[in-house]
Amino acid sequence: MKRINIAIDGYSGCGKSTTARAVARHLGYTYIDTGAMYRAVTLYFLRHAIPYDAETPAMWEALGQIELHFHPTDEPGKCDMILNGENVEHAIRTLEVSQAVSPVSVHPVVRRALVAQQQQMGKARGVVMDGRDIGTVVFPDAELKVFMTAELEMRSRRRQAELAEKGIDATLDEIISNLQTRDQIDANRSEGPLRKADDAVEIDTTHITFEDQVSQVCHLAHARMEEVSAKV
């Protein structure tokens, strides 16, 4: 059956990454966590004290010194983020990075640099990619586009549980404030804003299980693969 690209967009904490990873594993596709890429750039900026309140030559120079790639782990369908040869999977998930990633990602120079890499990754098809502008900017021709959403409190509780699993403590109020700020920045930036593509299927994950999320996307994917294959 012909391979397709699957774009999964949506708000932070609605289950995009875990769902995308599981769908890729089920289909035998490649999963690409674009959020990890932006987090890795943010981590580099923080470590090297690169100002990110405005676009500067220092920012352009820093982007030229950043090398990113994903390293497969022992867990099927999961890859760790490698920044300039260092495994930073844990470091990019801290609340400090979470608070800075949207202000960093808002800059066109950052987005253009990473979008170019992401588009290259999807040229061979058979990719599941999640983020905020995948279906609108990175893969506007993706055969399947999904937009995931959920109520803010549910998203915050899920994010708190994810952080706890990684040994990172954060109060619910801190996370709610962080997600509200990120939502506002992501939806209103000039370059690749968070929005639902016109042809995306919306899935509200507030009251459904993770298994149901994965099942719905896989069902949509199989249907689209059949449609695409029938046209060949």
Side-chain angles (χ1 to χ4, degrees):
M1 192 171 292
K2 191 171 177 62
R3 292 162 71 83
I4 65 172
N5 280 343
I6 301 172
I8 301 181
D9 291 307
Y11 295 93
S12 297
C14 60
K16 297 189 308 295
S17 296
T18 49
T19 297
R21 186 180 299 116
V23 169
R25 185 167 59 246
H26 177 82
L27 299 176
Y29 278 22
T30 299
Y31 165 62
I32 298 173
D33 181 358
T34 63
M37 298 173 71
Y38 286 102
R39 284 173 173 271
V41 169
T42 300
L43 179 65
Y44 185 92
F45 282 10
L46 291 172
R47 285 179 170 179
H48 294 81
I50 306 296
Y52 54 84
D53 53 338
E55 249 180 55
T56 63
M59 184 182 293
W60 307 336
E61 183 178 350
L63 287 167
Q65 297 170 350
I66 294 173
E67 292 185 6
L68 304 176
H69 73 271
F70 291 97
H71 181 72
T73 68
D74 293 335
E75 182 181 338
K78 186 179 185 303
C79 293
D80 285 348
M81 185 76 251
I82 308 300
L83 166 63
N84 291 345
E86 176 192 355
N87 189 322
V88 293
E89 186 61 32
H90 180 80
I92 63 174
R93 306 299 174 181
T94 64
L95 192 57
E96 179 187 20
V97 172
S98 293
Q99 290 171 333
V101 65
S102 286
V104 168
S105 303
V106 75
H107 296 294
V109 67
V110 175
R111 302 205 67 80
R112 290 168 189 164
L114 295 189
V115 165
Q117 292 186 40
Q118 294 156 10
Q119 290 176 329
Q120 186 64 33
M121 293 174 181
K123 280 190 173 181
R125 320 308 282 184
V127 161
V128 182
M129 190 177 289
D130 75 285
R132 287 161 180 73
D133 61 352
I134 310 305
T136 54
V137 176
V138 182
F139 293 151
D141 62 343
E143 291 84 357
L144 173 61
K145 301 175 188 178
V146 174
F147 189 87
M148 299 180 70
T149 186
E151 294 174 3
L152 177 61
E153 183 175 346
M154 179 61 75
R155 293 193 284 133
S156 301
R157 292 189 181 281
R158 288 172 178 168
R159 180 54 51 82
Q160 186 178 43
E162 291 173 3
L163 292 174
E165 287 181 3
K166 295 177 170 67
I168 300 171
D169 292 326
T171 68
L172 189 62
D173 286 343
E174 286 177 321
I175 296 172
I176 288 175
S177 177
N178 172 244
L179 292 186
Q180 287 177 321
T181 299
R182 292 184 65 186
D183 288 350
Q184 194 275 332
I185 294 173
D186 292 344
N188 292 286
R189 64 187 177 220
S190 60
E191 188 91 5
L194 166 64
R195 69 176 180 83
K196 177 186 172 184
D198 293 338
D199 54 346
V201 178
E202 183 169 330
I203 298 178
D204 187 332
T205 70
T206 304
H207 301 297
I208 63 175
T209 66
F210 170 69
E211 290 74 16
D212 284 339
Q213 293 173 209
V214 176
S215 177
Q216 286 189 38
V217 178
C218 285
H219 177 77
L220 291 168
H222 284 298
R224 289 297 294 136
M225 284 188 283
E226 289 179 1
E227 290 175 14
V228 171
S229 298
K231 294 178 181 179
V232 176

